DNA sequence: CAATTTACTAAACACTGTTCATAAAATTTT
DNA sequence: AAAATTTTATGAACAGTGTTTAGTAAATTG
């Protein structure tokens, strides 16, 4: 039946429309400030209609969570993979930071919210997107070892530490903690840097630190 | 006038009562789930009364922000400062983690929320608590240098990197990202660890990394 | 004792996520 | 083609949120 198919397609379309509207509003106004009513208004349907396509707001968040990870992987795919492993690792870090600041709400959604992760845990179904992203980091770390880096260091733990450092740096920047320190903290103001310079400086310090772990 | 003083004291008392009620509810039910109405009910006043003592919810959050930092410093003060600098740095890291998991809501309040930091920035008045905490880390890093650690590394940048790593580790744990990886990610499950073991392992890996930066 | 200031609150406003009975459209059956 | 049925969409309501305002009760002052 072609008719049933067309209807099914139409339903799928509306599901996607809700998602794109939600995504747009999330990145415009932020996650907390986006209401179901606002999403409904954007797609010109009633708020109740949203609930015919998504169980609740968390399910919408979860759908965007998936999208967000695909976007992150897309950012990673721009990296030149013919580089040596260590240069690749640094490029990965830079791409991560770039992603965090180009898509702050998407970043917050996939890395700073607990709700979508709870959804993943409850769903019990695998979460390839997240695993693939970590796997990418892990394999790069392993490859670095063949270049003489990180000898006698456990790769999973080190991968987590690198991820944590990047995540910490990005989040402390976005909450304004870095900015405060750059402006007010006596120990930091001696460097005479603005927030972005401080962020770059910190990243460079991290690169410098990792470089010392060769041989 | 003794009367005016007593009244003033009574007013200050009520301000503190609001704060302790808010603190209790925040740690019980979490920040988002705590309403002005609930705080009002706990102190047996009307919701509108709260607004006679605090401009809005953010001002309450800011007051707790200050308290939270004092609590953190209190945790730090338990550290044995007669230890060598590097051991002190590790102890500082452990105390930080302990604080993050003993007081998850306070931690989120002071390190993961942007609202109280905006308040600090708008107030223009100095924020000694935060500066002192960072200063402590910075001075310990500097002291480590005299023990042969972190040679030719810029101390402010390194301090931020260490803070970022700890912050990243704590937040990724609390969002459930660590837990997911420990359960589902092929590269991680080979370690056969539960979440807490993985967290400890990651911290140990970090300590191991820092130890390699001697001489 | 009356006037005034201070302390407090009930009620309302404009929101939020979510549910449910009802209405409208589309499809299937008669 | 008309009637019955299923699918799709919604208005209105529920219980909650932060916040403002107008008005009341209590305490202080003249």
């Amino acid at each position: 039946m072609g008719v049933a198919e067309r209807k099914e397609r139409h339903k799928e379309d509306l599901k996607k429309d809700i998602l794109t509207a939600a995504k747009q509003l999330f990145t415009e106004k932020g996650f907390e400030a986006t209401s179901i009513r606002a999403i409904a208004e954007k797609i010109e349907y009633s708020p109740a209609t949203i609930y015919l396509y998504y169980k609740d707001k968390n399910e919408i968040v979860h759908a965007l969570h998936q999208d967000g990870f695909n976007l992150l992987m897309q950012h990673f795919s721009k990296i030149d993979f013919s580089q040596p492993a260590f240069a690749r690792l640094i490029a990965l870090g830079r791409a991560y930071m770039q992603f965090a600041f180009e898509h702050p709400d998407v970043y917050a959604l996939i890395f700073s919210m607990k709700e979508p992760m709870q959804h993943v845990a409850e769903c019990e179904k695998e979460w390839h997107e997240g695993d693939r992203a970590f796997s990418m980091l892990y394999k790069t770390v392993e490859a670095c070892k063949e270049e003489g880096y990180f000898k006698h260091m456990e790769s999973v733990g080190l991968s987590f530490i690198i991820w944590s450092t990047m995540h910490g740096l990005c989040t402390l920047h976005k909450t304004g903690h870095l900015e405060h320190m750059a402006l007010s903290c006596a120990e930091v103001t001696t460097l005479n840097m603005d927030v972005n310079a401080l962020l770059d400086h910190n990243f460079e310090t991290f690169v410098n630190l990792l470089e010392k772990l060769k041989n």
Side-chain angles (χ1 to χ4, degrees), chain A:
Chain A
M1 281 252 174
V3 183
E5 271 173 36
R6 201 208 60 215
K7 279 198 68 179
E8 194 58 38
R9 214 167 49 233
H10 192 74
K11 259 182 82 169
E12 285 300 313
D13 278 358
L14 193 45
K15 262 197 109 160
K16 283 236 164 104
D17 285 351
I18 293 171
L19 223 61
T20 52
K23 196 184 213 164
Q24 213 171 316
L25 287 168
F26 279 9
T27 49
E28 268 172 31
K29 319 241 182 196
F31 170 73
E32 304 272 80
T34 300
S35 66
I36 297 284
R37 281 174 177 82
I39 299 169
E41 200 170 342
K42 201 165 190 88
I43 59 166
E44 291 178 301
Y45 277 84
S46 102
T49 305
I50 308 270
Y51 289 87
L52 299 175
Y53 295 88
Y54 292 95
K55 191 178 137 279
D56 54 21
K57 203 181 178 183
N58 279 336
E59 207 164 284
I60 300 175
V61 169
H62 179 248
L64 291 174
H65 191 255
Q66 304 274 28
D67 268 28
F69 258 92
N70 289 330
L71 190 63
L72 177 65
M73 291 308 284
Q74 204 176 303
H75 263 247
F76 284 166
S77 71
K78 289 175 190 164
I79 294 170
D80 173 18
F81 286 94
S82 64
Q83 294 173 97
F86 188 77
R88 229 159 61 212
L89 183 67
I90 306 309
L92 215 55
R94 274 193 209 286
Y96 188 92
M97 275 178 77
Q98 202 200 343
F99 174 80
F101 300 125
E102 272 183 24
H103 310 280
D105 290 280
V106 179
Y107 185 87
L109 191 69
I110 67 178
F111 287 131
S112 294
M113 285 180 64
K114 58 181 191 308
E115 290 86 351
M117 285 308 288
Q118 280 173 345
H119 196 104
V120 167
E122 282 163 14
C123 271
E124 284 283 351
K125 63 179 174 185
E126 288 153 45
W127 181 43
H128 296 295
E129 292 81 1
D131 296 347
R132 254 173 55 221
F134 183 80
S135 196
M136 199 165 187
L137 172 61
Y138 175 81
K139 274 169 189 152
T140 310
V141 167
E142 285 274 88
C144 282
K145 281 187 164 177
E146 290 179 14
E147 291 179 2
Y149 289 91
F150 315 141
K151 218 158 249 177
H152 306 302
M153 298 189 74
E154 197 280 304
S155 295
V156 168
L158 183 57
S159 300
F160 271 120
I161 287 302
I162 292 171
W163 180 17
S164 294
T165 309
M166 295 310 299
H167 177 63
L169 213 50
C170 293
T171 52
L172 287 174
H173 179 262
K174 272 193 278 198
T175 51
H177 284 82
L178 269 193
E179 176 147 42
H180 168 80
M181 296 300 176
L183 294 173
S184 308
C185 186
E187 279 80 5
V188 184
T189 48
T190 54
L191 288 177
N192 205 39
M193 285 176 171
D194 71 341
V195 210
N196 290 311
L198 183 63
L199 184 68
D200 282 349
H201 169 75
N202 290 338
F203 183 71
E204 288 307 322
T205 306
F206 187 48
V207 172
N208 183 245
L209 184 155
L210 292 176
E211 273 168 349
K212 286 193 193 304
L213 298 171
K214 195 174 183 180
N215 300 328

